[in-house]
Amino acid sequence: MTGDLPPDELRAALHRTADLIADYLERVGEYPVLPPVSPGEVGRSLPAAPPLAGEPLDLVLDDYRRLIEPNVTHWNHPGFLAYFAISGSGPGILGEALAAGLNVNAMLWRTSPAAVELEERVCDWLRQMIDLPPGFHGHINDTASSSSLVALAAARHRLADLEVRAKGLAGRPEVPPLTVYASDQAHSSIDKACIVLGVGQENVRRVETDGDFRLSVPALEEAIARDRSAGAAGKRPMAVVATVGTTSTTSIDPVEAIADLCAREGIWLHVDAAYAGSAAVCPELRALMPGLERADSIVVNPHKWLGTACDLSA
Ligand SMILES: Cc1ncc(COP(=O)(O)O)c(C=O)c1O
């Protein structure tokens, strides 16, 4: 037990919550997609100080009905056409509820065997579904921003002679500036990861794209050569990020040609397939993404098109 509620009270509140969720999804089309509120309005209707005493759950759920539900942007609305549709689903909602009940930390096998083995197995299903070879290991992060951060940290770690993991980057004049290459259409999460990792935004080379918004391989080659040519004062290429499904236009970078270049240059290839990667479960669409299997790391967001609730990034 969670210890905070008598079991019967919790059970009744869960039933009521189930009704709230099902009612919401049944009626979501009746709301305007954008709530009729102005900035600050919801915040002002909440107490400025934390409550000193707990309230009956019915009152809390009434607050949800009155203040929260009508005042979100309704991503589940049939008329919601912004960004990419999120693909919540009935089974996805049930999975979230069950996981909240279990409330385990799956950091180690011992901390929850079933959660760890389920994660590993389902990530391997995803690997098979998007036709990646068996060498790929998968794990779950919250968002693609975290996934790309982790992938680029691995790329940095592969520059083994720099020993960044042990020694860090600061105060080490012997460490050259590291560079990361991505198209001018790549998602801002790549810049953010490079800021966090100590690469620095100025060392993210935004490579030009062609008329179809795909990264230009000759321009990439030139950028790498330019960075390498500066001799001892030169930069050290750390990773190339190819995007499969850019956020603005779903353009697909030429991954195979980029992989060839990365192999020749000994540079880590990260594929940001956060958006379009889910589409690779359809063989006819997978065929539009040749070379995915050559990535050193790849991110796919099941919370975009694979029926899971936000957030789930593999
Ligand atoms: C290509 C691409 N990469 C990364 C992201 C970031 O995804 P997340 O919101 O999961 O961090 C997005 C999502 O908008 C995207 O379209």
Side-chain angles (χ1 to χ4, degrees), residues 84 142-145 187 189 243 245-247 272 274-275 301 303-304:
F84 2 78
D142 51 358
T143 62
S145 304
H187 191 265
S189 55
T243 308
T246 55
T247 315
D272 178 358
Y275 181 9
N301 271 7
H303 71 217
K304 292 206 163 87

Side-chain angles (χ1 to χ4, degrees), residues 47-100:
L52 290 177
E55 287 185 339
L57 281 177
D58 273 348
L59 286 185
V60 176
L61 293 176
D62 287 345
D63 280 350
Y64 162 82
R65 275 299 302 273
R66 192 172 50 85
L67 290 174
I68 306 303
E69 186 181 296
N71 292 324
V72 297
T73 297
H74 297 283
W75 286 61
N76 286 293
H77 194 291
F80 180 94
L81 300 174
Y83 310 108
F84 2 78
I86 49 165
S87 59
S89 65
I93 293 167
L94 298 179
E96 290 290 316
L98 292 171

Side-chain angles (χ1 to χ4, degrees), residues 95-109:
E96 290 290 316
L98 292 171
L102 293 173
N103 196 28
V104 297
N105 186 324
M107 63 183 164
L108 300 170
W109 184 85

